[in-house]
Amino acid sequence: MTRLTRRAEEALLGAALFRPEILPAMQWVPPGAFSRPDHGALWRTLHAIDFSQVPRAEIPAVVTRAVERIEDRGIRNCLSPQRLQQLAGACPNPRTAALYGGMTVEGGVHRAVEDTGDRLRAAAQQADVEQAGDTVGQAQVARERFASLHQAWLSTPEQVRVLLDTQHDQRLPEPEAQQARRPERLDLQAEFDVVASLQWDSRQVGDIPWLQDQDFADPALRTAYGAITALHERQSPVDDLTVAWEAARRGGPQPSEQLLADLARHGSGGIAAHAGARVLSTAALDRLETAGGQVRDAGRSPALAPSALVVRAEQSLQPSLTDERRIHHAEREPELADGKEPSPPAHPAHEVPALSEMEM
């Protein structure tokens, strides 16, 4: 799609150079929608010229003088008179400028979604477990960016959206479930400590209501954790035998007798909450990385029309948005124990750029 996107941008710029009277009606195309900085700079420059006072024969000279006033030398070199002349002839049909504009905006939305996914993946990969809360909070920032992209798309004329915002007949696969955890994104000791602590004193289940089975990477420990919490909810005794019995009834990967014995020997009180917070944070970073990959792949899919693309990207973020709330709950657990009202999660101020300056 990269080549097609560039051709659509060139067609739009060519239409504007050939018929600059269309520019006042094309302000819904933000310069940030263009894939190349010289294209965006030329679009911004054209909108700054009052062509109503320019005879048609003088348009090339007026545009050339305006380009010469662009501060960035590299961009000026890219927009040479020869290049401007080439662009003027690159439009298949200047009367189709609005459709080319919609294609340009659609390409910008796809690039912005792909870029957001890459940023989320990189943030998750680079973060330490202690930074999980702030890092996972970037999912909310990403959702706000998707809302801005959606508004940018809705600003296109309805007749353009009718032509472009259609879903391809090909059925796209649903976002993949949580993938296998990377070895470097594991904290099996913390998972063991949680389960051992709960088997020693299942009353600690009440200290970690925010922890879920899906947070455990080790399949056997995940099953054991689910068995202990189920026994605790039924107020049943918890020991290595009752846990093994409940685990067998629940199915899935079974904890071995050796593992249950080790859990019984090493269990202690008072550490479930601390170890559980590490388990949650580790899993949340892994899910954010997975979500980033799903968002990136959605942005790369030309079969997703803009509205469907934003919906798919937002769906991929849902697990991480939930994780942020759970991490906040875990961090505020002492306040809850003291009867204090927990404060909402704080996000750093993120200014949403104007459509004319939007980084798409």
Side-chain angles (χ1 to χ4, degrees):
M1 284 292 289
T2 302
R3 181 172 178 273
L4 289 176
T5 299
R6 185 176 66 250
R7 287 186 59 192
E9 295 175 9
E10 291 175 344
L12 174 60
L13 292 169
L17 289 167
F18 188 79
R19 297 179 64 227
E21 62 269 19
I22 69 172
L23 287 166
M26 297 290 295
Q27 294 184 8
W28 47 269
V29 180
F34 290 86
S35 62
R36 292 170 49 123
D38 57 325
H39 287 179
L42 178 57
W43 186 248
R44 188 181 293 107
T45 299
L46 292 176
H47 278 274
I49 301 173
D50 181 6
F51 285 100
S52 64
Q53 306 299 321
V54 179
R56 183 165 294 276
E58 297 181 14
I59 289 176
V62 170
V63 174
T64 298
R65 287 196 296 270
V67 167
E68 290 174 351
R69 292 193 292 271
I70 296 176
E71 293 184 5
D72 191 299
R73 180 179 179 181
I75 290 180
R76 291 199 308 270
N77 292 338
C78 288
L79 297 175
S80 65
Q82 295 77 13
R83 174 59 175 163
L84 293 175
Q85 184 178 5
Q86 180 187 29
L87 286 172
C91 182
N93 183 0
R95 298 188 180 278
T96 317
L99 184 57
Y100 302 147
M103 294 160 66
T104 297
V105 174
E106 178 176 341
V109 170
H110 274 265
R111 283 194 309 280
V113 170
E114 179 182 351
D115 173 73
T116 300
D118 279 334
R119 292 187 185 188
L120 290 175
R121 290 185 73 246
Q125 290 170 352
Q126 298 168 9
D128 294 328
V129 66
E130 292 79 8
Q131 302 169 317
D134 291 337
T135 304
V136 175
Q138 294 186 32
Q140 177 62 33
V141 178
R143 185 168 70 170
E144 294 169 1
R145 189 181 190 192
F146 295 153
S148 296
L149 293 173
H150 183 59
Q151 288 302 315
W153 179 245
L154 291 180
S155 70
T156 63
E158 183 178 3
Q159 61 268 32
V160 173
R161 282 185 280 116
V162 168
L163 294 174
L164 293 177
D165 206 5
T166 55
Q167 185 60 51
H168 193 276
D169 291 338
Q170 175 186 1
R171 181 174 177 80
L172 294 170
E174 294 298 320
E176 295 182 6
Q178 179 71 16
Q179 301 173 353
R181 304 270 280 276
R182 294 187 293 112
E184 60 269 30
R185 185 67 79 200
L186 295 177
D187 194 341
L188 298 183
Q189 183 61 54
E191 296 184 11
F192 180 91
D193 290 343
V194 170
V195 180
S197 181
L198 295 181
Q199 185 166 308
W200 186 82
D201 181 3
S202 65
R203 292 175 298 179
Q204 294 178 91
V205 168
D207 298 335
I208 51 175
W210 30 264
L211 194 62
Q212 299 176 359
D213 298 10
Q214 67 192 32
D215 299 326
F216 288 79
D218 185 281
L221 289 172
R222 183 189 311 129
T223 302
Y225 173 78
I228 292 174
T229 55
L231 290 170
H232 176 75
E233 289 174 2
R234 297 200 300 266
Q235 298 183 344
S236 298
V238 174
D239 56 42
D240 56 346
L241 179 56
T242 60
V243 172
W245 191 273
E246 178 65 22
R249 295 177 61 186
R250 297 171 65 85
Q254 295 295 299
S256 66
E257 292 186 6
Q258 181 62 53
L259 174 59
L260 291 172
D262 290 341
L263 291 169
R265 282 197 302 270
H266 294 91
S268 60
I271 65 171
H274 174 73
R278 291 190 63 86
V279 172
L280 170 57
S281 295
T282 302
L285 288 173
D286 198 69
R287 278 190 288 269
L288 181 65
E289 182 179 348
T290 298
Q294 293 171 349
V295 170
R296 176 204 59 195
D297 294 344
R300 292 176 178 176
S301 173
L304 283 170
S307 294
L309 171 60
V310 171
V311 170
R312 172 62 64 86
E314 289 179 340
Q315 288 175 342
S316 299
L317 291 179
Q318 288 307 313
S320 292
L321 294 171
T322 301
D323 282 342
E324 184 193 12
R325 291 191 292 269
R326 293 200 291 137
I327 291 175
H328 175 70
H329 190 184
E331 292 173 344
R332 292 296 184 267
E333 198 66 36
E335 295 183 21
L336 294 175
D338 295 337
K340 299 179 181 178
E341 184 69 20
S343 57
H347 292 285
H350 292 273
E351 181 179 353
V352 178
L355 293 182
S356 60
E357 302 175 352
M358 179 176 295
E359 177 192 357
M360 299 184 69

